[in-house]
Amino acid sequence: MLETGRDERSLYAAIGDLLLSKGVKKLIGIGSTFSRNADLIKIESTFYPNTASFLSDMQSTDFSEEIVLVKGARVFKFEEIVKKLQQKVHGTVFEVNLDSLSSNLNFYRSRLDHGTRIMVMVKAFAYGSGSYEVANLLQFHRVDYLAVAYADEGVALREHGVSLPVMVMNPSFSTFDKLFQYNLEPEIYSFKILREYLDFIKANDISSKIHLKLDTGMRRLGFEEKDLKDLVELLKNTTNIRVASVFTHLAGADEGVHDDFTQSQIRKFKSFTEHLKNDLGYDFLRHALNSAGIIRFPEAQMDMVRLGIGLYGIEAGGLLQDQLQPVGTLKTIISQIKEIKKGETVGYGRKGVAERDLRIGTIAIGYADGYDRRFSNGKGKVLVQDKLCPVIGNVCMDMCMIDITDTNAREGDEVIVFGRKPSLNDLSQVIGTIPYEILTSVGQRVKRVFYSE
Ligand SMILES: *Cc1c(COP(=O)(O)O)cnc(C)c1O
């Protein structure tokens, strides 16, 4: 608003009209300019001369059951408001930095040839980072395709303004009508699902794009070399279905030891698609690379790549991790602090034993929020005031206890479970899993907060 160059009255009149027409229910305006133009705002509103005056009044403001958009120029320091809101909401939040996401997307784009399309995998709630919020940003950045695992995930995108083409990887007979209604394109991986889909298309006299999945070595879903003839037969006899793309998934693109195998997958894929193209009589998009593949096998990018974990800040191949920005930060707070004596025990099963007098903090995150129980008894460490503090005792369902003896932390202070430090890679190594699992395990009840400069 500071930089529009518009005349103040007409700018605020336009804001007033927008708020009304978009159905915004309530406005809190901060700054003297806003207050001066209060008469132009036609929805429920309150005004404050500056951020400090709002902060001191904030406790009395009721935000229950509301979605809050906080927006303002840097000088207003609205991050102070966000911090207070988060404490008000629930101790635990998952912050998603949309600028980091954009930066990671641009990094992968810079590795691609001009003209190679990008499909971004936003399955599983965009790897835990919020589905349509992420999808809308990707739409803004003009990626070419999105992919989700299930029809319902695609429907959620459509209902929140996403108009990009969307591929659904696990379609089922019962969701075909939804696919059609919401203009979602199924992945077809077997004869069973192909026949069912063909019947549906014919019965409803509609047409559709599909994406064919080939199994070249993953041994999960997909058609195989021997299926080519029957596949062509079925597809040639229908005019209502168009193959938009054909793809395969690499089983070991992230690890050098599998490079020969990966090359064999790529060879099989190229040969299959060449035959398919000739027999079908038309061309389609080809794609094989996941995030690790984009980095390690750029020569196999073909028409499109499928970006997943890399967007969320993890370089699966481990080669260029320092070129990516961490996207998600899982934060919680210290609910209570206790002084305990040497020899006392902490938590269920009395597994945490104080080897000396300790100051411990109970934090508002447990295994139901995605903080794996394998982080119990010192395995997990969280960041408090720049110090890594170990978990003491077993992780509980909604809480766990940490040793904060070496800090001067107070109740209500912020705790970082993962983010820049400790990183997702650190955490996954400690419990022998992969960053994908930790990221997608962040509980649904944990509020997502999206940041952008
Ligand atoms: C999830 C998925 C990807 C993305 O994999 P990343 O390792 O996250 O890049 C690509 N293709 C398919 C078929 C997938 O299911």
Side-chain angles (χ1 to χ4, degrees):
M1 291 189 220
L2 287 177
E3 289 152 8
T4 59
R6 282 175 73 168
D7 151 69
E8 188 178 310
R9 290 296 285 172
S10 82
L11 172 64
Y12 280 81
I15 292 169
D17 289 344
L18 269 175
L19 289 169
L20 197 63
S21 69
K22 297 289 178 186
V24 175
K25 300 244 169 55
K26 197 196 290 183
L27 172 84
I28 296 170
I30 293 177
S32 52
T33 322
F34 233 133
S35 311
R36 207 159 51 226
N37 294 287
D39 60 305
L40 296 170
I41 307 298
K42 295 150 201 152
I43 60 169
E44 183 190 335
S45 48
T46 331
F47 297 90
Y48 294 88
N50 51 45
T51 307
S53 60
F54 171 66
L55 282 171
S56 64
D57 200 33
M58 197 169 146
Q59 256 357 73
S60 62
T61 316
D62 178 22
F63 288 113
S64 55
E65 299 294 319
E66 298 194 77
I67 293 170
V68 183
L69 170 69
V70 183
K71 191 163 167 54
R74 294 297 292 170
V75 290
F76 287 102
K77 294 211 164 60
F78 282 177
E79 59 273 17
E80 295 299 320
I81 297 176
V82 174
K83 219 187 236 171
K84 265 206 166 176
L85 272 175
Q86 289 175 358
Q87 290 170 358
K88 233 176 137 138
V89 173
H90 167 44
T92 307
V93 291
F94 187 51
E95 276 180 19
V96 178
N97 186 326
L98 297 176
D99 297 327
S100 299
L101 212 99
S102 303
S103 151
N104 295 340
L105 175 66
N106 288 333
F107 168 71
Y108 282 94
R109 272 198 163 142
S110 76
R111 313 287 298 183
L112 295 175
D113 296 340
H114 183 74
T116 304
R117 294 170 173 80
I118 296 193
M119 171 185 271
V120 180
M121 313 311 282
V122 291
K123 60 195 182 194
F125 205 45
Y127 289 50
S129 307
S131 66
Y132 59 84
E133 297 90 344
V134 169
N136 271 304
L137 182 71
L138 295 168
Q139 180 158 291
F140 172 78
H141 286 302
R142 299 173 187 278
V143 307
D144 300 279
Y145 254 100
L146 297 175
V148 294
Y150 295 101
D152 284 346
E153 296 180 308
V155 172
L157 298 185
R158 289 282 181 257
E159 288 185 334
H160 289 92
V162 175
S163 54
L164 286 175
V166 175
M167 177 175 89
V168 175
M169 292 194 289
N170 294 278
S172 65
F173 184 72
S174 61
T175 57
F176 287 162
D177 51 348
K178 270 199 187 140
L179 296 182
F180 175 67
Q181 192 187 341
Y182 289 90
N183 190 22
L184 306 168
E185 304 168 14
E187 164 188 322
I188 300 292
Y189 55 83
S190 72
F191 283 115
K192 177 173 180 292
I193 195 93
L194 177 58
R195 289 208 181 86
E196 287 171 352
Y197 197 59
L198 284 170
D199 289 346
F200 171 81
I201 293 290
K202 279 188 192 130
N204 292 280
D205 194 23
I206 54 180
S207 56
S208 169
K209 286 182 181 167
I210 60 168
H211 301 266
L212 293 178
K213 165 83 127 321
L214 307 185
D215 178 4
T216 56
M218 180 76 176
R219 311 315 268 150
R220 193 169 64 176
L221 296 178
F223 293 100
E224 300 169 25
E225 238 163 337
K226 64 178 169 49
D227 300 327
L228 182 67
K229 242 182 109 215
D230 293 340
L231 191 57
V232 170
E233 191 86 359
L234 271 169
L235 291 172
K236 275 204 111 164
N237 285 329
T238 163
T239 50
N240 298 13
I241 282 200
R242 175 130 190 137
V243 177
S245 86
V246 180
F247 70 106
T248 194
H249 197 36
L250 301 175
D254 55 331
E255 290 181 303
V257 288
H258 305 304
D259 283 359
D260 287 347
F261 187 80
T262 303
Q263 296 293 4
S264 83
Q265 280 196 275
I266 294 167
R267 268 196 312 276
K268 273 188 195 164
F269 179 67
K270 285 192 166 157
S271 142
F272 190 110
T273 49
E274 200 49 37
H275 286 114
L276 185 65
K277 176 188 143 188
N278 289 336
D279 295 348
L280 273 184
Y282 63 88
D283 212 353
F284 38 75
L285 300 176
R286 279 159 240 228
H287 46 115
L289 302 183
N290 55 7
S291 306
I294 298 172
I295 303 298
R296 302 193 64 249
F297 298 92
E299 68 284 0
Q301 58 190 267
M302 296 176 253
D303 305 306
M304 186 153 76
V305 296
R306 297 188 308 276
L307 178 60
I309 194 84
L311 183 71
Y312 310 99
I314 300 290
E315 209 283 90
L319 301 172
L320 301 174
Q321 184 57 55
D322 58 348
Q323 309 264 345
L324 297 180
Q325 306 288 329
V327 168
T329 304
L330 183 59
K331 290 180 170 179
T332 187
I333 55 157
I334 300 178
S335 311
Q336 193 176 21
I337 291 178
K338 291 177 190 289
E339 313 276 347
I340 64 169
K341 292 271 174 250
K342 181 179 173 182
E344 279 193 78
T345 64
V346 177
Y348 285 123
R350 305 184 56 214
K351 290 287 185 255
V353 181
E355 306 288 353
R356 53 176 177 141
D357 290 357
L358 293 179
R359 223 162 74 89
I360 62 166
T362 301
I363 61 174
I365 189 164
Y367 55 79
D369 301 297
Y371 197 54
D372 199 293
R373 198 165 172 277
R374 287 171 289 177
F375 288 122
S376 297
N377 303 306
K379 292 254 170 52
K381 293 190 174 64
V382 296
L383 198 69
V384 180
Q385 296 177 337
D386 268 335
K387 285 213 177 70
L388 287 170
C389 300
V391 170
I392 178 164
N394 283 328
V395 174
C396 311
M397 189 184 292
D398 315 302
M399 288 175 262
C400 63
M401 284 64 89
I402 57 172
D403 179 353
I404 50 168
T405 313
D406 298 332
T407 74
N408 53 16
R410 294 176 310 170
E411 292 180 353
D413 278 3
E414 180 179 280
V415 175
I416 304 217
V417 179
F418 68 74
R420 202 168 279 281
K421 179 181 160 194
S423 69
L424 275 171
N425 281 317
D426 296 338
L427 260 65
S428 51
Q429 268 159 27
V430 166
I431 60 168
T433 183
I434 49 176
Y436 299 73
E437 185 183 356
I438 296 187
L439 200 52
T440 54
S441 299
V442 175
Q444 288 285 349
R445 73 178 179 191
V446 175
K447 301 277 181 304
R448 267 65 175 175
V449 177
F450 299 89
Y451 271 93
S452 174
E453 285 283 309

